[in-house]
Amino acid sequence: MTGVPKSPSFETIVERRLSRRQALKGAAGASAWVALSGGSLFGLSGCDGAVKSPPLTFAELEHGYDETHHVADGYVTQVLIRWGDAVLPGAAPFRPGAQTKAEQDTQFGTANDFIGFLPLPFGSDNSEHGLLCVNHEFTVAMMMFPGFDNRWRTAEEKTRAQADVEVAAHGHSVIEVKRVDGQWTVVGDSPYNRRITGETPIALSGPAAGHRRLKTSADPDGRTVLGTLGNCAGGVTPWGTVLTAEENFGLYFYGDQDVAAETAAEERRNWASHNAGFAWVPDHDAADPETAPPVRSLPSFYGWSRFYDRFHIEKEPREFNRFGWMVEFDPYDPQSVPKKRTALGRFAHEGTTVVAEHGKPVVAYSGDDARHEFVYRFVSRGSYDATNRAANMDLLDDGDLFAARFDADGTGEWIKLELKETGPASAAESGLSDPGEVLIEAREIARRLGATPMDRPEDVETNPLTGRTYVMLTNNSRRKAEETDAANPRAENLWGQILEILPPGEDGARDHLSNTFAWDLFLLAGDPNHPETAKQGSYHAGVSGSGWFANPDNVAFDPEGRMWVATDGFPGNKTPAGDAAPVHDGIWACETVGENRALTKHFFGCPRGAEMCGPCFTPDGTTLFVAVQHPGLERGSTFDNPSTRWPDFDPDMPPRDAVVAITKKDGGTVGS
Ligand code: FEO
Ligand code: CA
Ligand code: CA
Ligand code: CA
């Protein structure tokens, strides 16, 4: 930990947590499982031993759609950090439209998504001082640079210097933050502050490291990748590391699959299918044959292959295989080398939730955010040692990967992903040769073993109080009527649903290591008055006209076990009729058990064009951090003429992605 202040021992933190967990266990018979949901290390803090959560009493926000953000009455918001703000000491001032790569390397990146709050000093449950760990998922050149008004031309016409800025705007930021007199501030000269970008050296680790399909001309050993890309959501481990998920990596690559040496593998998994239909691409809401690139090519969303051979699959066919992993790093050690944990499989990782109990294997739940893809669970070979931080640091390198099958009778099974002697999952029929390749092509083996194709699995998170695990399924416009099933019951599903996995056992003592489970539809999103939405598993009958939402994406649980859902329904949650006024993305909250189960209430709304990401509570639940992503990204809006200039509203500033801290005016917990 070069240059970083000394922290209290890991044992101290563990003792505190264990004693709190034992109090919980004594009071309610709850297990000692710790779920690291919502990006907070201390999911159980504030718990009084009851499995049932206290009611949400805030006055509900109305649906809306305008240039700025909104929060429920009684709360205050503070913009904490924006794209272009300083992360590293000595960072250059933000020069919109004229940034250099060297400048962006030191500044907060674009498209803030996942947020994790890790208390300082390490080992405390401090809610006023910590490390805020934030993903930067993507760049949109039309909103970053002047002069562009067409998405496809942007990829063709951007300059090398602009592409370099884009690479630097990706990845992750670590910032030290402090709450002083109620106001959150960034500690500008902190030795913890760090940028991870699309060029930071990252180790491949686990079973697929060094695999022949991960070797490139720049890295003949197949063990070091430059950068992490498409960092969507993530997670925080009980041992105080951050997980950052590589999601839509297909967008960075370009080339003719018929020419590339990896042809068979790329065709096998249809990587382009999700990306080509990307709803947030202005100008390209639906496939446009006039302006889209050739169908046979992987999408060239970024055009980086014009400058970087490694993103051109005909020149460097295997670089593509080195993205799509879950990356783990230690934010308390700014010198630490992040690791791509290949044991968790390769797919469009949305995020992950780690669930752990001392002396038992660790579980990591993950969603693959693409249409008709799967929900995954990793189980470590080694056991979590709550008394020895160092012993946990590579737990995610060795274990078994499973994908979920949801049966119509409300039960399900975690199917272990491995080659079989005979049948569709055999080496002969699948074309997969070894365990490393099974991880590289996790989608392929999961499909061959009968996992259930889902409606775009986003966050998968465990309620720390009950142990029930929730899957945000955001939408699937391409599900045909004959493809519907009990877990994905709607054809051409525009609105999404939330699925509830019930590992065996009672609330508070559920067994995440079991390979079988029960499941339920927690709610079908969309307007509850629509006949399709009003079917099984929909909202609580008391939901208000502003209490419904569409397109659940991220989720966090507050310290009292209440669910906070962030939506991604750009450009505004679509109503079933499709012709009503758009509704902003934002945050909706509800209880998950008891009489108010699924009674969702609207809490926060984004400025127009933005989606909501990263909900994350401090350990005591008094601050909720949210990430407003891509404000002003909607049809007809550009850097030169944006539909909003949130959050600065300065004619010289473009709209900027930003983290917002939400607190209650009376200082109480958020939601109370
Ligand atoms: Fe990047 Fe699945 O949202
Ligand atoms: Ca997401
Ligand atoms: Ca989350
Ligand atoms: Ca999203």
Side-chain angles (χ1 to χ4, degrees):
M1 286 201 182
T2 325
V4 171
K6 224 37 194 139
S7 302
S9 74
F10 189 60
E11 286 68 26
T12 313
I13 164 176
V14 165
E15 277 160 27
R16 276 183 216 156
R17 187 181 308 142
L18 284 176
S19 61
R20 193 160 47 227
R21 289 200 315 224
Q22 271 148 12
L24 174 71
K25 194 170 186 174
S31 81
W33 284 105
V34 182
L36 278 301
S37 58
S40 169
L41 261 172
F42 293 91
L44 292 179
S45 65
C47 173
D48 64 358
V51 170
K52 190 178 177 309
S53 307
L56 290 161
T57 54
F58 65 85
E60 197 169 4
L61 181 70
E62 288 188 4
H63 279 180
Y65 197 75
D66 62 22
E67 290 186 16
T68 194
H69 66 281
H70 301 272
V71 71
D73 271 352
Y75 290 82
V76 285
T77 60
Q78 184 198 339
V79 174
L80 178 63
I81 189 165
R82 306 156 295 188
W83 166 44
D85 284 345
V87 170
L88 300 184
F94 180 51
R95 299 187 302 132
Q99 275 179 302
T100 64
K101 168 181 152 42
E103 291 168 359
Q104 180 63 78
D105 273 336
T106 64
Q107 297 166 338
F108 198 65
T110 50
N112 42 206
D113 197 304
F114 173 76
I115 302 173
F117 179 87
L118 291 92
L120 282 171
F122 175 78
S124 72
D125 57 2
N126 200 336
S127 289
E128 307 219 317
H129 189 195
L131 301 177
L132 210 63
C133 300
V134 184
N135 276 355
H136 302 296
E137 187 183 13
F138 54 81
T139 50
V140 180
M142 271 175 57
M143 303 304 293
M144 278 182 94
F145 308 114
F148 293 119
D149 63 359
N150 175 285
R151 209 292 288 152
W152 296 112
R153 277 212 313 277
T154 302
E156 294 304 316
E157 295 174 7
K158 74 175 63 155
T159 64
R160 168 73 195 230
Q162 289 170 335
D164 290 347
V165 172
E166 289 192 305
V167 173
H170 277 72
H172 193 91
S173 290
V174 178
I175 50 170
E176 182 178 341
V177 294
K178 231 179 195 163
R179 195 173 181 199
V180 181
D181 298 330
Q183 285 287 106
W184 283 99
T185 56
V186 177
V187 180
D189 58 355
S190 169
Y192 292 108
N193 290 1
R194 178 174 189 180
R195 278 302 323 280
I196 294 169
T197 73
E199 286 190 335
T200 303
I202 299 186
L204 283 157
S205 69
H211 194 279
R212 64 182 163 78
R213 289 190 58 196
L214 300 182
K215 294 177 177 176
T216 63
S217 54
D219 176 31
D221 293 335
R223 292 183 183 274
T224 307
V225 185
L226 288 185
T228 179
L229 295 169
N231 303 79
C232 192
V236 171
T237 67
W239 48 95
T241 58
V242 168
L243 291 157
T244 171
E246 298 185 331
E247 193 196 42
N248 293 308
F249 62 94
L251 292 169
Y252 302 93
F253 293 86
Y254 179 79
D256 187 334
Q257 297 177 51
D258 284 343
V259 176
E262 283 267 327
T263 295
E266 280 150 8
E267 288 205 329
R268 192 182 288 147
R269 289 314 315 134
N270 190 22
W271 285 107
S273 67
H274 172 51
N275 299 333
F278 240 67
W280 52 261
V281 179
D283 247 14
H284 199 68
D285 288 339
D288 178 354
E290 294 298 307
T291 56
V295 182
R296 296 290 306 163
S297 301
L298 289 169
S300 176
F301 181 82
Y302 290 97
W304 293 356
S305 57
R306 293 170 48 225
F307 311 111
Y308 299 82
D309 284 355
R310 68 186 180 115
F311 294 120
H312 201 304
I313 61 170
E314 295 163 32
K315 296 174 180 167
E316 195 60 81
R318 294 189 182 124
E319 184 76 351
F320 183 67
N321 297 336
R322 292 144 58 90
F323 291 85
W325 302 103
M326 186 64 71
V327 183
E328 183 179 14
F329 78 97
D330 180 2
Y332 292 101
D333 177 4
Q335 310 303 320
S336 62
V337 175
K339 293 178 177 176
K340 299 202 181 194
R341 299 294 188 187
T342 64
L344 273 65
R346 173 172 166 269
F347 44 87
H349 277 279
E350 168 69 22
T352 199
T353 299
V354 171
V355 186
E357 181 180 358
H358 176 69
K360 289 191 176 175
V362 162
V363 167
Y365 292 107
S366 243
D368 180 353
D369 181 8
R371 297 180 183 93
H372 297 100
E373 292 300 337
F374 310 113
V375 176
Y376 293 83
R377 183 193 64 161
F378 167 84
V379 179
S380 67
R381 188 94 52 221
S383 293
Y384 171 54
D385 185 344
T387 65
N388 182 356
R389 186 185 194 220
N392 303 315
M393 294 304 265
D394 289 316
L395 272 180
L396 301 184
D397 267 351
D398 186 17
D400 293 320
L401 188 63
F402 302 78
R405 193 191 65 237
F406 298 95
D407 295 326
D409 64 358
T411 66
E413 183 187 349
W414 292 109
I415 304 165
K416 189 172 164 183
L417 303 185
E418 59 187 352
L419 289 170
K420 302 292 183 188
E421 290 292 315
T422 56
S426 64
E429 288 193 34
S430 69
L432 303 173
S433 56
D434 55 60
E437 196 167 26
V438 162
L439 294 168
I440 293 168
E441 302 292 350
R443 287 176 167 184
E444 178 68 18
I445 196 83
R447 190 178 309 280
R448 287 175 174 273
L449 286 168
T452 302
M454 309 298 289
D455 289 344
R456 290 186 54 196
E458 302 257 20
D459 266 2
V460 181
E461 294 211 7
T462 300
N463 184 329
L465 257 68
T466 63
R468 300 179 188 211
T469 298
Y470 297 85
V471 184
M472 304 296 118
L473 295 155
T474 202
N475 63 51
N476 187 350
S477 55
R478 293 190 197 157
R479 186 175 291 276
K480 300 187 180 90
E482 62 271 23
E483 294 171 334
T484 57
D485 58 37
N488 303 276
R490 293 188 286 194
E492 295 170 22
N493 177 10
L494 295 177
W495 316 294
Q497 65 265 29
I498 299 177
L499 188 147
E500 182 181 55
I501 295 174
L502 299 134
E506 297 300 311
D507 278 348
R510 296 188 178 275
D511 179 11
H512 295 269
L513 297 176
S514 168
N515 288 340
T516 58
F517 54 84
W519 67 271
D520 198 3
L521 276 175
F522 182 70
L523 70 77
L524 294 177
D527 185 338
N529 295 315
H530 188 280
E532 279 301 311
T533 310
K535 283 182 185 168
Q536 58 161 334
S538 197
Y539 301 83
H540 186 286
V543 73
S544 80
S546 293
W548 66 270
F549 57 86
N551 310 112
D553 184 337
N554 297 128
V555 65
F557 291 91
D558 67 27
E560 314 218 66
R562 298 171 300 205
M563 175 192 277
W564 298 73
V565 178
T567 64
D568 173 8
F570 175 82
N573 284 330
K574 293 183 183 60
T575 61
D579 53 2
V583 175
H584 50 213
D585 279 317
I587 298 280
W588 281 257
C590 69
E591 296 162 45
T592 58
V593 292
E595 70 258 25
N596 290 335
R597 175 178 159 92
L599 177 53
T600 51
K601 293 178 68 175
H602 187 22
F603 181 70
F604 182 88
C606 285
R608 62 183 303 155
E611 73 173 269
M612 184 91 283
C613 302
C616 170
F617 288 92
T618 51
D620 66 0
T622 58
T623 297
L624 169 60
F625 296 104
V626 294
V628 172
Q629 194 190 53
H630 63 68
L633 182 61
E634 54 190 324
R635 188 177 284 278
S637 178
T638 63
F639 177 92
D640 300 304
N641 189 20
S643 65
T644 175
R645 291 188 185 273
W646 188 91
D648 305 298
F649 298 106
D650 174 338
D652 296 326
M653 278 292 168
R656 297 206 265 174
D657 312 280
V659 172
V660 175
I662 305 170
T663 51
K664 200 170 179 211
K665 282 179 183 162
D666 70 5
T669 58
V670 174
S672 62

